[in-house]
Amino acid sequence: MVANSPLSRTKDGGVMSLLIVDHVTKTYTSSHWFRAKRKEEEAALSGVSFVVEPGMCMGILGESGAGKSTLGRIVLGLLPPDSGRISFNGVDLYRATRRERKRLRRDLQVVFQDSYSAVNPRMSVLQIIGEPLRNFERLSAQEERRVVAGLLETVGLVTDDMHKHPQQMSGGQLQRVNIARAIALKPKLIVLDEPVSSLDMIVQKQILYHLKELKEKYGLSYLFISHDLLAVNVLSDRVAIMDKGKLELMLKES
Amino acid sequence: MEGLRRLGWGIRRHRLISLCIVLLSMIVLSGLFAPQLAPNDPNFVDLIHKLEGPSTQFPLGTDQLGRCLFSRLLYGTRISLSLALLIVTSCLAVGLVIGSAAGYIGGKIDSLIMRICDAILAIPSLILAISLIAVWGAGWKQMAIALIIVQSVYYARFIRGMVRNIKQQNYVTAARIAGTSPLRMMTRHIIPNLLPPLFIVVTLEIGWVIMDISALSFIGLGVQSPTPEWGAMINDGKSLLRSHPRLMIVPGLMIFCMVALLNLLGEFLGERKGFTKSIRKMAKEARGS
């Protein structure tokens, strides 16, 4: 199946890229029953292309309003692009069958900027991190508890934190919970949408180094979206600068 | 100084609310145990004792047919409250299904459902209920169905707004990415976060429904005369307003207390949770009055 797909062949040939974003365009339209569709002047994304290889961190750097978050949503499969293709692991994300998509879901996770709004305030940490596990794996309550405890340790929290509720945690701790949820299913790619922007400098640094460690340990790939040059620098193997919906510049780091 | 004053305010408000809760539970309990508490049969006609003043046998006196006003009031509490609860829970069920479907699915289905709701809301709810009863005939069942139809629309609209609000939250997106199915999303993320504001709305709404029931019963469309119900009791007493105002004032006071207490409680709960303003606005908007 994968071998026959034209998308699995990259320009470099050889190794298949994990994520291929191919000439993606997106314009927000305001359509209404009594009004004709009208295109707004500027496209949120126009002709964006890049690839992410396994184990690589791609940094997307840009000002607010440059279309970074739109790109993140499209890559996550939440927002169909107007044109262009997203291929993840050799499967076209927006043309996949329902079953394929469900399988892809496992390998594609996210960490949002605002750690508080990204968790249901009525759930405990155990329930939050356990949610993806419950959706994809059949674990007994005991097993789930053990897996969650392991994940909490992996992200630098203590096992007892699993009984806490989001209100009882700091932003940095909660962001670690979000990271634990994202890595719970051992995904291939995590979209980091400004993951440290709302935290103070020391916590930022800790979390960035932690993310770097996780990447090396599990061979994760990241799509790191940020407006913070320093943060992008710490983590990324390759950086693209985005402006007004276009990828302007690619920087490769050694 | 400022802090002290604020603290004083807090306690005073709290006292008011605890009083309000005590009074409300007293009313509810008296309705619940009406058969045990009532000194007389509420429907026993005793023309010899008609229009008597308060006495040990009749704590609030008797009406023009010699029926014990106090007993009728207790039984009336029972009927008004259970009818209001029945109507509100049915509305909640209907509104939850329609509202969450519209809010969660969105798009054309949402527009269609909401336009139908708008059309129903364009007619004042009590007038619409009256015209529905006019078609089906008077009686408490017809009144309940009419009120359920009219009120459900309001619930659906309110719930739809809340669901749309919650759906935009990041944690719903995160759950979607974590592979949560729509059904689970509803039961685990959306409905649990919907309940606290909904509880407050229901508190306020029970008061409104009691008013509606009394109003419809007063004009003879709801609960019919021999059955004791506050609105129907006011109607019974209206011809004797000049000579015996007690017959109207007592059940009227009961309605007033009930609605005022429920409103106080609802507002207080809303304020504590910090969304009184938005709820009041939404409630007003959806009620169209």
Side-chain angles (χ1 to χ4, degrees):
Chain A
M1 169 198 74
V2 171
N4 294 335
S5 166
L7 284 165
S8 63
R9 287 192 297 272
T10 61
K11 277 173 203 159
D12 321 335
V15 188
M16 185 180 73
S17 298
L18 183 62
L19 176 77
I20 304 168
V21 175
D22 187 19
H23 286 94
V24 165
T25 303
K26 177 76 194 175
T27 311
Y28 288 109
T29 53
S30 48
S31 75
H32 198 268
W33 278 16
F34 305 112
R35 237 189 294 143
K37 271 194 180 179
R38 191 185 59 200
K39 297 245 168 187
E40 276 161 30
E41 295 91 59
E42 262 175 85
L45 292 178
S46 53
V48 171
S49 310
F50 61 88
V51 291
V52 177
E53 310 291 346
M56 180 184 117
C57 175
M58 175 82 184
I60 305 278
L61 199 58
E63 293 171 33
S64 53
K68 298 181 310 245
S69 290
T70 305
L71 181 64
R73 290 181 69 83
I74 289 174
V75 168
L76 284 167
L78 297 171
L79 188 72
D82 294 342
S83 65
R85 273 183 298 196
I86 314 283
S87 136
F88 180 72
N89 219 10
V91 182
D92 191 328
L93 209 55
Y94 290 95
R95 288 188 190 81
T97 61
R98 187 174 280 219
R99 260 184 68 195
E100 278 177 321
R101 274 184 95 149
K102 173 138 187 166
R103 208 164 36 76
L104 287 178
R105 271 266 155 274
R106 279 195 76 138
D107 295 330
L108 195 55
Q109 291 296 320
V110 70
V111 176
F112 286 114
Q113 173 177 8
D114 182 0
S115 53
Y116 285 100
S117 74
V119 294
N120 187 337
R122 304 176 69 81
M123 284 185 167
S124 70
V125 170
L126 175 67
Q127 287 172 311
I128 291 165
I129 301 177
E131 187 169 25
L133 295 170
R134 247 170 281 140
N135 290 332
F136 284 101
E137 274 160 41
R138 288 177 200 284
L139 299 176
S140 68
Q142 218 173 359
E143 280 174 318
E144 186 184 299
R145 214 168 266 260
R146 215 182 45 237
V147 173
V148 171
L151 285 166
L152 281 172
E153 259 165 49
T154 312
V155 295
L157 293 171
V158 289
T159 314
D160 287 342
D161 284 339
M162 71 166 74
H163 302 295
K164 284 190 181 166
H165 277 259
Q167 306 89 285
Q168 295 165 286
M169 305 189 95
S170 69
Q173 285 177 314
L174 215 49
Q175 198 60 299
R176 287 172 192 269
V177 170
N178 280 318
I179 293 169
R181 171 172 62 185
I183 61 171
L185 294 169
K186 303 198 170 54
K188 294 196 172 78
L189 179 75
I190 300 181
V191 175
L192 303 168
D193 191 352
E194 306 255 13
V196 293
S197 302
S198 57
L199 306 171
D200 64 61
M201 287 304 278
I202 297 165
V203 181
Q204 278 197 14
K205 202 175 153 194
Q206 285 171 349
I207 289 198
L208 284 173
Y209 278 104
H210 221 102
L211 284 168
K212 196 169 186 172
E213 224 178 275
L214 288 173
K215 176 179 157 233
E216 276 148 23
K217 198 165 156 191
Y218 295 109
L220 292 169
S221 302
Y222 293 142
L223 183 65
F224 188 174
I225 298 167
S226 182
H227 65 264
D228 184 350
L229 182 62
L230 288 171
V232 168
N233 233 339
V234 172
L235 212 55
S236 305
D237 304 307
R238 200 181 285 175
V239 181
I241 294 172
M242 201 164 182
D243 189 33
K244 288 174 190 148
K246 287 190 182 110
L247 279 190
E248 293 286 344
L249 194 62
M250 283 278 204
L251 306 169
K252 228 175 201 165
E253 293 186 11
S254 52
Chain B
M1 208 49 210
E2 185 61 40
L4 262 177
R5 203 175 298 155
R6 209 175 291 156
L7 193 72
W9 249 106
I11 292 171
R12 220 158 77 202
R13 296 209 81 139
H14 258 87
R15 273 201 191 137
L16 186 67
I17 290 312
S18 34
L19 182 73
C20 164
I21 292 169
V22 168
L23 285 175
L24 263 179
S25 35
M26 269 169 65
I27 295 177
V28 172
L29 284 176
S30 68
L32 215 57
F33 294 106
Q36 283 77 32
L37 290 172
N40 300 293
D41 180 352
N43 288 324
F44 182 67
V45 176
D46 184 2
L47 288 173
I48 299 164
H49 293 292
K50 74 171 182 178
L51 295 172
E52 270 181 14
S55 62
T56 42
Q57 201 199 341
F58 306 108
L60 287 172
T62 58
D63 65 3
Q64 68 270 41
L65 294 173
R67 295 175 297 194
C68 174
L69 200 57
F70 182 63
S71 307
R72 286 182 71 73
L73 211 58
L74 287 180
Y75 276 88
T77 311
R78 202 174 201 193
I79 286 162
S80 287
L81 269 182
S82 49
L83 256 180
L85 274 179
L86 172 77
I87 291 168
V88 168
T89 42
S90 315
C91 286
L92 206 58
V94 177
L96 210 56
V97 172
I98 296 176
S100 51
Y104 191 77
I105 299 166
K108 290 267 151 71
I109 292 173
D110 177 38
S111 306
L112 185 70
I113 293 176
M114 282 305 116
R115 290 304 82 76
I116 294 170
C117 287
D118 284 347
I120 297 174
L121 283 167
I123 309 163
S125 63
L126 213 52
I127 308 265
L128 185 58
I130 290 170
S131 37
L132 285 174
I133 298 168
V135 175
W136 296 329
W140 71 269
K141 280 181 203 149
Q142 289 89 321
M143 174 186 68
I145 294 170
L147 281 177
I148 289 168
I149 291 174
V150 170
Q151 297 279 325
S152 294
V153 177
Y154 156 59
Y155 279 81
R157 228 187 132 85
F158 182 81
I159 290 167
R160 177 240 183 203
M162 300 283 312
V163 170
R164 277 173 72 96
N165 205 341
I166 295 170
K167 208 186 144 193
Q168 280 170 5
Q169 301 287 323
N170 267 341
Y171 62 79
V172 173
T173 312
R176 228 175 109 193
I177 290 167
T180 306
S181 65
L183 189 71
R184 227 181 194 165
M185 191 77 90
M186 226 51 228
T187 55
R188 290 200 61 89
H189 290 283
I190 292 176
I191 290 176
N193 283 295
L194 201 66
L195 288 180
L198 213 52
F199 177 71
I200 291 156
V201 172
V202 163
T203 316
L204 293 168
E205 195 61 21
I206 290 176
W208 282 105
V209 167
I210 288 176
M211 289 270 279
D212 287 349
I213 294 170
S214 300
L216 288 172
S217 300
F218 174 69
I219 54 176
L221 295 177
V223 178
Q224 295 303 302
S225 184
T227 316
E229 196 279 337
W230 298 336
M233 282 167 75
I234 296 179
N235 188 29
D236 287 345
K238 72 171 187 287
S239 53
L240 297 163
L241 176 62
R242 296 250 172 125
S243 53
H244 297 86
R246 176 172 45 90
L247 296 183
M248 280 184 87
I249 289 172
V250 171
L253 260 178
M254 211 57 200
I255 297 172
F256 166 77
C257 286
M258 198 67 207
V259 176
L261 289 172
L262 283 167
N263 269 300
L264 264 175
L265 186 67
E267 294 252 323
F268 173 74
L269 290 173
E271 213 160 283
R272 284 203 93 175
K273 291 270 174 193
F275 30 57
T276 311
K277 237 185 206 164
S278 57
I279 282 181
R280 216 186 287 155
K281 204 178 132 209
M282 275 168 116
K284 216 172 156 190
E285 219 169 69
R287 269 203 157 251
S289 60

